[in-house]
Every structure is written in C-alpha cells, then in structure tokens.
Amino acid sequence: MPDDEQRINQPDPSNLPEGYSVPDGTADELFDAQGVMRPVWRDFIAYLNRLGPTQCEARFHRGNQYLRDMGVFFRRYSTSSGEDRDWPLSHIPVLLHDSDWARIETGLIQRANLLERVVADIYGPQRLVRNGQLPAELLAQNPEWLRPMVGIRPRSGRYLQHLAFELGRNPDGSWFVLGDRTQAPSGAGFALENRRASAHMYSDFFPDTNVHRLAGFFRRFRDALRGMSDGDMLAILTPGPNNDAYFEHVFIARYLGLMLLEGEDLTVHNGQAMVRTVSGLKPVSMLWRRMDAQFADPLELNETSRIGTPGLVSAVRSGSLALSNALGSGVLETRALMAFLPRLSEILLGQKLKLPNIATWWCGDPRARAYVQNNIHKLALAPALTTGLPHDSNISAMGPTGINGLTRPDDWDGTLVGQEAVSLSTTPCYENGRLVPRPMVLRVFLARTPTGWAVMPGGYARIGPGGENSALSMQRGGSVADVWVVSDKDVPRDPLDPNRDTYQRVLQGALPSRAADNLFWLGRYVERAESTIRLIRSYHRRISEGEPAHSQRLQHLAAHLDRLGVDLDQDLPEVLIQQIGAATHCASKVRDRFSVDAWVALSDLNQTLTGMAETVRAGDDCARAMSVLLRKLSGFGGLVLENMYRSSGWRFLEFGRALERAITLNDVLQSFTAAGAPNGSLDLAIEYGDSISTHQRLFLVDPNRYSVLDLMMLDLGNPRSVLFQIDILCSLVPDLPRNPDHTEWRETLFRQITAVQQFLIGARPEDIESTDFDDIRQRLFELSTSLSSIYMR
C-alpha cells in the first residue's frame, strides 16, 4: 500500500481520545480490529475536539434541557410504585456508515421474514412440531404460547407488523442478534426524541452531516396501519400511565395522529371491537398493540388482568379486528427458540442466516446438553422460556450455579439453555471531560409496509455504565444514545408528510368516554385546588399580619376550611396535595390531548409542591407559597384551556372547570355572606373571588352583603361570579356530542342548568336566602350526575 494511502487510513493523533482503552477481544465502534479509527467517526471527533470540554458540557446541557422541556421521561420501578425519571441520554451518538447499515438491513429483513413463517406455523398447521424440527414442549410449556390463538388467521394475513432486534458487534466487525422483540416492541418513539435532542446539541454540525432521517419510517408505518383498517378508528392500545414506555405511547399517538386507548375504552359486541365514546359505541378495526398479549383479554387469556378487554380474542377470531402484532407473537422472543432458528432458516427460507444470533444450546436435546455440561466454564446458563436479553437481568450467570443454586448437571433439562458468553462491543461515552468506552447493544426497528419491510435507519443504542455488561437496562442505571447512519452522499429529507402542495384534513375520531371523564374531572380538580389555595392563602395572610388565630373571622374561615378537609395544623395541608395529585392523575390519562408545554407546567407545579413539603411554615411563608402555587396552577390551566383545540375534549374540560367554580363560589358566598358571619368575612369573600379592585370601581360603599352578592353571584360581566359560570355551562350544552343511547340528553341537561340560570337572572341580592344556596348546590350536583350518566358510563 502506498505511503499516502496508509496515511489516509490512519487517524490524526490529535483526534484520538486521551486514555480511551478498549479491552482485548472486544469490538469497538470508534476503532476497528486493527486499532484504526473508523472513517465515519473522524469528522465528529474532530468537531468535539474543537469544541473543548466547556462547550461540550454546554451542548449536553442543551440536549438535556430539550428533553425536560418536551416532558420526555421513563418510569423507573421500585418495590412500591413507579416514578418518573429524566430520560437518560448518553450525549455521544453511535455512528455507523450506511454500507455497514446495509448489511444489517439485509440480515434483519431476512430474519423478520423467518419469524413470520415460524409464528404462522406455530399458530397454524404446526408442521415444524409434527416433523420434529421444533420441540413440542417449547410451545406446550411456554406462557407466551397462547392456545386460544391457534387456528386464528390474522385479518391482514400477517402476524407481525412491527419488530425490534437487539444487536451486538463481533471483534471482526460483523454483527449478531442478541434478541428478538416481537411482543410489543418499544423504543421507536424514544429513538425519534433522541434524534431531536442530538439535533439540538449539535445544531452547528448535524445539518451538514449526511445522516439518514427517521421521519419517513413512521410515515410509511402509519400509512400501512391505515391500510389495514376499514376506515374506522385507528388507535394505539396502551396498558396506561403506569407502563414504563407510556411517554412513548403518548408521543407516537400525538405524532402520528392516532387515538390512544386503554383496555377499558373497548368493548366487544357481536364479535366487533367497539370504542366507548361520548357519541355512543364506535367500531375500531385496527389496533397497534403496546400491551403484552396475555393481559389483552381476561376472558380467554389471563383472568387476573385488569387492563385488558373481555372478548378481544373473539373480535380477532371473527376477523373484524386487526392487531399489530398478533396476540401470541411474544412466543418468538423465547430464548430457547434461538437454538433452532439457524436450522429453521434453511428449512423455511432455503437460506442460512445472514445475521447469526447468539449461539444457544437447548438442554432438552441430549447432545446439546452434553455440550453445555462440558463447556459450562465459557457459557451462560439461563431459563429456556424467558424472553429477556442475557444482559438485562440476573437470571443469566456464568457457570453451573447460575440459577436458583442449581449445581447438579444431571438436573439440567429442557427448562434450561446454555448461551455463548459474549463481550458486548463498546462505544464512546463522555464522562468527566473525556471519552471512555462503554458496553452497547443496538436496538433496530422494522415495520411492515405494502412493499415489504422498512428498517428505521438508526434506532437507539442501550449503554451500560462502568463497563458492566449486565447493566444495560434503564431500570438498572443504563442510558441510551442516538444512532446516526451516515452516508458519503447527500441524503434526502423525508418529512412526515412529504407532499407540501396539498393537504387533507383528517376526520377526528369520537372522544372515548374515559377521556371525557378524565378531562371533566381534570377541570374540576384544578379548580378545586385553586379554591383551596385561595382560602389557605387568605388565612395565612391574616396570621402574618398579626391577626390571632382565635379571632372570630379566622375561626369562621378555619371552620369553612375544615369542612373542605383542610387541616390547618399542617403547614402544607394534605388535602391540597391530594387535589393536585388527583388533577395530575387525570391529566396523565389524557396526556395525548394537550400540549407538551401544559404537561411540563403541571410537572413543574408538582416539583414545586414537593419542594414545599419540608420548607413551608405557617404565616407569611405559607401565604407566599400559596401565591406561587396559584400562579403555577393558573399557568397550567391557561395552557390547557386557552391552547387546546375546541373539540369535544375541550368542552368537557371547560364544563368541569366552570361547574366546580360555580359550586365553590356558591359555598364560599353562603358561608361568608351569612347573617351570622363575623365582621371582615365579606372582605375575605371578595379577596377569594379576586374581585377587590372590581368592587372598588363598581360600588361607592364598602363591601356589604348586597354588594358582594351582586358582584360575585349575579354579575354576568364578572368571570368570578356564579352566574358567569352558569352562562358558560349553558353555552356548552348545545355543542356536547349527541349520544344515541340518551335521546333526551339535551332536554335533561338544559332543564337542570337553565333552572339555575333563570333563578339567578331574576334574583336581587336582597332576595337571596341561605336555602337558595342549598338549592343551587343540589342542582349543580344533579347536573354533574346527569352528565356522567349520559357520557361517562
């Protein structure tokens, strides 16, 4: 080789990461087997060197801030409950040349076709079992093999539509498969957020780099899913907010314009899956399933499931419902199956696997068991029917004592597999101002389209901390990195909607009853919390001004707060924490229906509330804290109510808010304008209604019972009056959806709300008595009950 060519292939010594040391026998993404920096990395490493540590840290902070601003999180589980954690982004992307990627694509498309053939046989003719090419016990004893699905041909004719594969790299540069993800693969949405974060961090480098874009992958899969439906609703089926990938479900639903459903949103009627909506039952013919199959139908699959839909299997069986992926496809993730896939590829495809999987020996076969026994010192022993990766859990360990203290090789049987103990390839991570190698697994996504399998050009890498191969899971401290597939040529941009000359408005699906219920109660809980905050602030303001707690006015206010469940012995009353927690829970159930900014505002409110729990003290400190909470709660409410599209969802949210404000105002006025209320109570009432300056402008007298009732009960121009809220409710009723199961819905709601409206319009302040407040409260409660019975059953 000429000297010039040798110099071209050698890295610039100034670009080499100081102290970057890869263990012997381990593949690395930055350097090849000869220790030469891979060409695809050179420009990026030079760019990092030009930035220097200070600017690098600033760029990484920018990426982290973007993820926080977008509300990206994952749910980490503990022994009691899950908690939302910041998305653990590893800031250095993994760079792969598109020629390398082309080999990965070819191998994974072949593997996807093989898995489709295998699962079609498993739930169809079962020739592989009958011919002895697949052990029957790997199905009969497998919890992922769902007997009720045998003989059910998917409506689309295909079992698999969305797949993910975990890949590792050999020291020679070749790739191999560590695991197949066929149940309900997660991560595609997170990959897109990783990419957006990378673009923010490297905004002066990324646009000029020939990195393949990701958006086209999602567009093609969305169009494929629409092609599988009958023009009915297209939705994602999620286990709900407690799932660790719930953010991704919300993100993809919003990004692709899909409805997000939980199991309780569905019912099956005469073999047809139907969505419970505020407009009655509506058919759905296609679901992107993100729920493990065994929990999908408690009637035929797992009777303990509380998140599934009874009868869902019957809808699939009737051919009226298509699922991505088919129920039971999780059997393909079984670790023991890897022992048979190389041979099955030759049988079913007539080809050897282009991407080999991790070498696996099933101990149910005598020869394989003997091999494992003789080579256990260099193998990992694991349960045969588990579906996790070897490096995802503690169940896989080197040597004969790896599982439940098992020490006798004679006990080894078909419940165990031996797997090759692999050293994962490494990729650069930025730690303490320098690049260090960390173990990595690549997750790649495939989607079926009318023209065949589409491969996301990138995906994401799962990275372990501290060089530990066993800690790749985010639940155990791992992180994730963006994956750039880089070309030597310009790559076309592939936006979500490539046709910029035309547009088509998508018909909005009906609002699920569960979503309407949560939006309605979100409005109520936000308003209820605001009312509680205002009253607590009024109490502590007086305390900070020197008014004794035993004064008649403060005792009267304390009695009112006590009726609301507020314990004033608590500096930060528990009932307020519960109200904001209830609002947050309702919001989490409909997170796909309002903006990212609104969710971030709510998260900020909760963080502020948590920080106050140990620091707030009675008096001025608590009054100031309530003012902070009030501003943040109002900010959230404004972002939701003002920016939310005026659909049915917005109407239920606004209905709940106006109804609760009318109820709380009515109760405050009854208490603080009563004949026996102590002096100064009227001042508390107009302060609560944020109407002090308005009262001063409109009335030439100090507050008295009649002026306060006129302003806060009967004034249609005051947004803090009861009549103003009733007027909002009256305006919302005509635009509420028609429910065919309740033909007299309009008359029922109108009769209840107009009775209150007509009374208030015709009333004079001096005519209002205590019993009138009771009557208004009762009618508003009846209105809430009627609304729930009509729309939220």
Side-chain angles (χ1 to χ4, degrees), residues 206-228:
F206 181 82
D208 298 326
T209 304
N210 298 324
V211 178
H212 289 265
R213 275 31 180 194
L214 306 181
F217 173 85
F218 291 93
R219 175 177 58 81
R220 288 189 287 273
F221 188 45
R222 177 199 62 191
D223 293 345
L225 293 178
R226 286 179 176 169
M228 295 168 61

Side-chain angles (χ1 to χ4, degrees), residues 243-254:
N243 185 263
D244 59 346
Y246 182 68
F247 167 81
E248 184 193 16
H249 306 165
V250 172
F251 174 80
I252 293 179
R254 185 187 292 128

Side-chain angles (χ1 to χ4, degrees), residues 279-298:
S279 303
L281 296 177
K282 301 293 182 181
V284 59
S285 56
M286 176 67 220
L287 291 174
W288 183 354
R289 177 176 64 85
R290 303 302 302 269
M291 176 189 300
D292 284 358
Q294 63 173 316
F295 299 109
D297 185 348

Side-chain angles (χ1 to χ4, degrees), residues 474-757:
M474 288 186 294
Q475 297 292 337
R476 304 178 61 208
S479 59
V480 295
D482 189 15
V483 177
W484 295 3
V485 177
V486 185
S487 176
D488 295 329
K489 302 176 294 185
D490 290 339
V491 296
R493 293 183 177 272
D494 196 353
L496 190 62
D497 187 357
N499 192 340
R500 299 180 181 273
D501 298 325
T502 63
Y503 73 94
Q504 179 181 1
R505 181 179 285 267
V506 177
L507 182 64
Q508 296 297 305
L511 180 70
S513 298
R514 175 190 57 83
D517 191 29
N518 280 285
L519 287 165
F520 173 71
W521 280 101
L522 172 61
R524 292 198 65 174
Y525 282 128
V526 166
E527 188 62 35
R528 190 174 298 179
E530 180 180 330
S531 176
T532 302
I533 289 171
R534 288 180 178 276
L535 290 169
I536 294 173
R537 183 176 66 172
S538 292
Y539 181 88
H540 285 281
R541 271 181 175 173
R542 275 39 186 205
I543 294 293
S544 67
E545 292 169 358
E547 184 172 345
H550 57 75
S551 70
Q552 288 186 338
R553 180 169 65 167
L554 288 191
Q555 284 187 331
H556 188 77
L557 176 54
H560 185 84
L561 285 167
D562 183 65
R563 289 193 294 273
L564 300 178
V566 176
D567 183 356
L568 289 172
D569 290 334
Q570 299 172 337
D571 294 329
L572 189 64
E574 181 65 26
V575 69
L576 177 59
I577 297 173
Q578 293 172 353
Q579 289 169 351
I580 294 178
T584 302
H585 176 74
C586 290
S588 71
K589 303 282 278 186
V590 288
R591 185 174 171 179
D592 59 310
R593 295 189 172 270
F594 50 84
S595 69
V596 171
D597 286 336
W599 180 260
V600 172
L602 184 58
S603 299
D604 182 53
L605 170 66
N606 277 281
Q607 290 175 3
T608 301
L609 188 66
T610 301
M612 288 178 176
E614 300 296 329
T615 59
V616 170
R617 296 295 179 263
D620 183 64
D621 188 40
C622 186
R624 290 175 179 273
M626 292 302 106
S627 293
V628 171
L629 291 178
L630 182 63
R631 289 193 295 271
K632 295 200 172 189
L633 187 63
S634 299
F636 167 71
L639 285 168
V640 174
L641 286 166
E642 295 302 320
N643 298 335
M644 191 174 178
Y645 187 76
R646 270 31 176 186
S647 60
S648 295
W650 176 86
R651 295 186 184 95
F652 282 98
L653 179 68
E654 176 70 351
F655 202 101
R657 186 208 60 78
L659 178 66
E660 188 68 27
R661 179 170 291 185
I663 291 172
T664 54
L665 274 168
N666 182 77
D667 289 348
V668 165
L669 290 173
Q670 181 179 26
S671 177
F672 292 95
T673 65
N679 291 334
S681 295
L682 296 174
D683 293 327
L684 292 178
I686 59 174
E687 178 184 307
Y688 167 84
D690 202 13
S691 299
I692 295 175
S693 60
T694 304
H695 188 279
Q696 291 172 340
R697 287 196 304 269
L698 294 180
F699 300 98
L700 299 178
V701 297
D702 290 336
N704 60 45
R705 183 175 190 272
Y706 299 149
S707 67
V708 171
L709 287 177
D710 185 283
L711 177 62
M712 297 186 60
M713 193 81 174
L714 306 176
D715 193 335
L716 192 55
N718 181 14
R720 288 281 171 180
S721 76
V722 175
L723 181 56
F724 189 93
Q725 308 310 314
I726 299 303
D727 191 64
I728 290 175
L729 296 175
C730 287
S731 70
L732 290 171
V733 169
D735 292 326
L736 291 176
R738 295 182 178 274
N739 189 322
D741 296 332
H742 291 269
T743 56
E744 298 182 356
W745 64 274
R746 187 192 300 270
E747 291 76 9
T748 300
L749 296 177
F750 257 128
R751 183 172 60 251
Q752 292 172 326
I753 193 60
T754 55
V756 180
Q757 184 186 46

Side-chain angles (χ1 to χ4, degrees), residues 226-288:
R226 286 179 176 169
M228 295 168 61
S229 71
D230 287 335
D232 302 325
M233 295 184 200
L234 186 62
I236 295 176
L237 180 61
T238 175
N242 291 329
N243 185 263
D244 59 346
Y246 182 68
F247 167 81
E248 184 193 16
H249 306 165
V250 172
F251 174 80
I252 293 179
R254 185 187 292 128
Y255 186 66
L256 298 183
L258 306 180
M259 184 176 289
L260 188 65
L261 300 177
E262 296 182 28
E264 65 182 279
D265 293 324
L266 297 167
T267 186
V268 177
H269 183 67
N270 293 330
Q272 172 71 58
M274 312 286 284
V275 182
R276 294 185 177 97
T277 79
V278 293
S279 303
L281 296 177
K282 301 293 182 181
V284 59
S285 56
M286 176 67 220
L287 291 174
W288 183 354

Side-chain angles (χ1 to χ4, degrees), residues 99-162:
S99 61
D100 201 9
W101 190 257
R103 291 189 289 271
I104 291 175
E105 282 191 342
T106 301
L108 291 184
I109 290 174
Q110 180 206 45
R111 192 174 186 89
N113 289 327
L114 171 61
L115 294 179
E116 174 68 35
R117 295 283 296 273
V118 171
V119 72
D121 181 81
I122 285 174
Y123 289 105
Q126 298 186 340
R127 294 189 184 94
L128 295 175
V129 172
R130 290 207 308 268
N131 296 338
Q133 293 152 344
L134 195 62
E137 58 215 87
L138 289 187
L139 301 184
Q141 299 176 8
N142 195 325
E144 299 297 339
W145 182 67
L146 305 181
R147 188 180 298 274
M149 303 308 300
V150 174
I152 300 179
R153 182 74 174 170
R155 169 187 164 138
S156 66
R158 303 288 187 178
Y159 289 81
L160 305 174
Q161 283 78 34
H162 182 236

